[in-house]
Amino acid sequence: MKIFVLVKEVPDTYEDRRLDMETGLADRGAGQVVLDEITERALEVALKYADANPDAEVVALSMAPESATSSIRRALAIGAGSAVHVVDEALHGADLGLTATVLAAAIRRGGADLVITGNLSTDGAGGVIPAMLAEHLNYAQATNLSAVQIAPDAVTATRETDYGSQQVTAPLPAVVSITEALPEARFPNFKGIMAAKKKPIEVLSLADLGVTADPAEAPQTILTAVSEKPPRAGGVKIVDEGDAAVQLIDFLVKNRLV
Amino acid sequence: MPHYESPILVLIDVTPSGAAAPSTAQLIGAAAQLGTPVALVAAPADSAKDAVDSAVAAGAQLVLTTDVDDGPIAVPIVDAMQAAYRTVQPDAVLISNSIAGRDVAGRLAVREHLALSVDAVDVARDDEGIVAHHSVYGGAYLTHSAPTFGTPVITVRQGTIDTRAKSAPEARVEKLTVEPSGAAVAVGTVVEALQIASSRPELRGARVVVSGGRGLGSKENFSLVEDLADELNAAIGASRAAVDAGFIPFPHQVGQTGVSVSPQLYVAIGISGAIQHRAGMQTAKTIVAINKDPGSPIFDVADFGIVGDLFTVVPQVVDALRGRKK
Ligand SMILES: Cc1cc2nc3c(=O)[nH]c(=O)nc-3n(C[C@H](O)[C@H](O)[C@H](O)COP(=O)(O)OP(=O)(O)OC[C@H]3O[C@@H](n4cnc5c(N)ncnc54)[C@H](O)[C@@H]3O)c2cc1C
């Protein structure tokens, strides 16, 4: 079985994340970047299957600027067998539509039986890429899974819907997305880090994938304005000396909140 | 189908019991800001009637209906939306940014080659067409997005748009013919409803939210949060640490990877205020924090902060509120 896991480098959520005020895009120079935690969890789902099924092949796939190589190496150090890195100048600021087209082309080229992604990235928070891939590839789709069982012909899983959970079966080939209810990824150990240096990263351009980013060909979503809100300031801070509850009620009453 | 001026196609999310989801009124309200709301109710035939009535009450001028099985996931609704899109030829498509909605929006955009904008907190029209407004990085930035050309598909964050359309008693209800695409599909069982006390307000769009964190210490103690929430008629939120510890289920998580809320009042109890938590609540109008550590970052955004033991302060607040009601 060939499993593609979508991995994404994102601005570290522990820091103040910034947008470029010219373009409205993430300001990649502004702070630390990390592999998105949810994509590490997705990788862990694939690795857990591979632990028990040595014939499984786990490929980390990322569409990202050239600078993302070290994040992709981290996916290899955690345990992916190889990686595909789609890099192209023309993808700078790519919208969801173009991103899905490119990722689908890379998955088609690699011939994946199963694609595992996070449910929502911490930067774009779109949560639509898995469904878009399923549509492009005509794969079965099961999003927002909180428990996953992979078998040679299907994925059975618990899916968190808007109203509660359900059991789902997705015949392979399939695209699934997972929630943060699934465990964190194993930590890359020394052996993993050393091995990652020798694992292959295939670097592909749009031309390699036969995709064009021609703005006349397909509509794209563009950012037309960006503004920054002033940061919030703290207000009153009291230390409880027995009357904090009374003071709080006064505050709520004064502000017409009760 | 009669002609409608600037039709805006809205997908109604239907709950397992056949009701229209709470997002219905805001989606149709948002559509009315842009043109004429046309709604699609794609649901099992025996349950769709309530949802149709809700769509009409919320102001849809035309409601298209089609019967779908509830086993196959997403695909039947995508097929129905595709048929509705081709029939209505809308200026924009609005879909709730729910789990079900995102699946449909993504697939429809691919299938019909449409530009996709996600998680809008408002929609508007300017000289060049339809614009979606987004709140980025926990509300630190506001951005606008628009399609280069064609009809945009926009998912709308739940509980963000206050505009409501006038009810449309003269609305037409028409059956839509849908050609199944035969796309590969996963199949699911009936949804087991979450065991959440449903008398409390929904977290999304709530006017008041009371949230608890790891400081509560246990699931039993989390009832303190519930007590205060009930006195304030509030929805219940939580930090990820509280969810991870099993104090309360995930749908209550506020923050980066949970729900984003903008209530009039947000009360954080035993929550440190990690940046990922603040990302989901710092656009609240008023923030109250109760935490025993004066250095907690939650105090940096709190309008009224109490440095104190939550096990002492919260019961006193609950008692005082109960006393006021008498
Ligand atoms: C990618 C990513 C996404 C994340 N997404 C989210 C998210 O969506 N939402 C979220 O909340 N977190 C999220 N987190 C986690 C976040 O970083 C914090 O770990 C989490 O918010 C901490 O929760 P907490 O404040 O309840 O716990 P803690 O940080 O442990 O804080 C507990 C607080 O309780 C106080 N306390 C303890 N006892 C008492 C007492 N008796 N009286 C008063 N105060 C007391 C302590 O002083 C402390 O400040 C995310 C992290 C990552 C990496």
Side-chain angles (χ1 to χ4, degrees), chain A residues 10-21 24-27 36-38 41 95-97 100-101 119-144 155 158-171 173-174 177 179-181 184 214-253 255-258, chain B residues 13-16 21-22 70-71 73-75 78 97-111 113-119 126 131 134-150 155 158 182-194 204 207-208 232 240 244 250 253 256-258 264-265 267 274-276 278-279 281-288 290 294-296 299-309 312-313 316-317 320-321 324:
Chain A
V10 296
D12 191 346
T13 59
Y14 283 103
E15 297 192 357
D16 256 337
R17 295 173 296 167
R18 313 217 38 91
L19 289 186
D20 180 324
M21 296 304 287
L25 302 173
D27 185 348
D36 206 349
E37 185 199 74
I38 196 71
R41 290 179 198 245
D95 73 340
L96 290 159
T101 302
N119 60 338
L120 284 170
S121 66
T122 52
D123 57 350
V128 288
I129 292 289
M132 296 175 93
L133 293 178
E135 182 66 33
H136 272 294
L137 299 164
N138 194 22
Y139 282 16
Q141 145 201 340
T143 50
N144 228 48
V155 172
T158 305
R159 176 169 185 258
E160 302 307 323
T161 75
D162 296 293
Y163 311 105
S165 45
Q166 65 176 172
Q167 298 307 309
V168 298
T169 306
S177 76
T179 75
E180 64 183 30
E184 278 178 41
D214 182 358
E217 202 167 279
Q220 292 185 6
T221 298
I222 50 170
L223 289 166
T224 55
V226 52
S227 58
E228 192 171 0
K229 282 229 231 140
R232 200 180 175 109
V236 186
K237 182 158 95 181
I238 63 163
V239 176
D240 179 32
E241 279 160 359
D243 63 344
V246 175
Q247 292 198 48
L248 172 57
I249 305 278
D250 285 349
F251 172 84
L252 295 176
V253 169
N255 289 282
R256 296 165 182 269
L257 291 164
V258 284
Chain B
D13 270 357
V14 180
T15 71
D70 56 7
I73 296 170
V75 170
V78 178
N97 192 44
S98 58
I99 293 159
R102 288 197 289 260
D103 283 353
V104 176
R107 296 190 72 137
L108 179 70
V110 171
R111 209 179 267 187
H113 307 283
L114 302 173
L116 176 61
S117 262
V118 294
D119 202 19
D126 71 11
V131 182
H134 311 268
S135 171
V136 182
Y137 292 161
Y141 296 89
L142 289 176
T143 64
H144 292 182
S145 72
T148 48
F149 58 90
T155 70
Q158 291 137 288
V185 69
V187 176
T189 57
V190 174
V191 173
E192 300 157 33
L194 286 168
R204 292 189 161 88
R207 238 190 109 273
V208 182
L232 292 170
R240 177 155 105 175
D244 284 350
F250 173 78
Q253 183 171 315
Q256 174 70 55
T257 48
Q264 294 296 308
L265 172 63
V267 184
I275 200 160
Q276 297 95 343
R278 297 198 320 256
M281 46 67 78
Q282 66 197 2
T283 56
K285 182 109 195 302
T286 302
I287 297 173
V288 169
I290 304 171
S296 284
F299 290 124
D300 300 342
V301 295
D303 300 285
F304 193 89
I306 298 174
V307 181
D309 187 336
T312 313
V313 177
Q316 288 175 358
V317 177
L321 287 169
R324 274 174 53 85

Side-chain angles (χ1 to χ4, degrees), chain B residues 54-78:
Chain B
S54 302
V56 170
Q61 298 289 328
L62 169 67
V63 183
L64 300 170
T65 64
T66 186
D67 181 14
V68 298
D69 284 347
D70 56 7
I73 296 170
V75 170
I77 299 181
V78 178

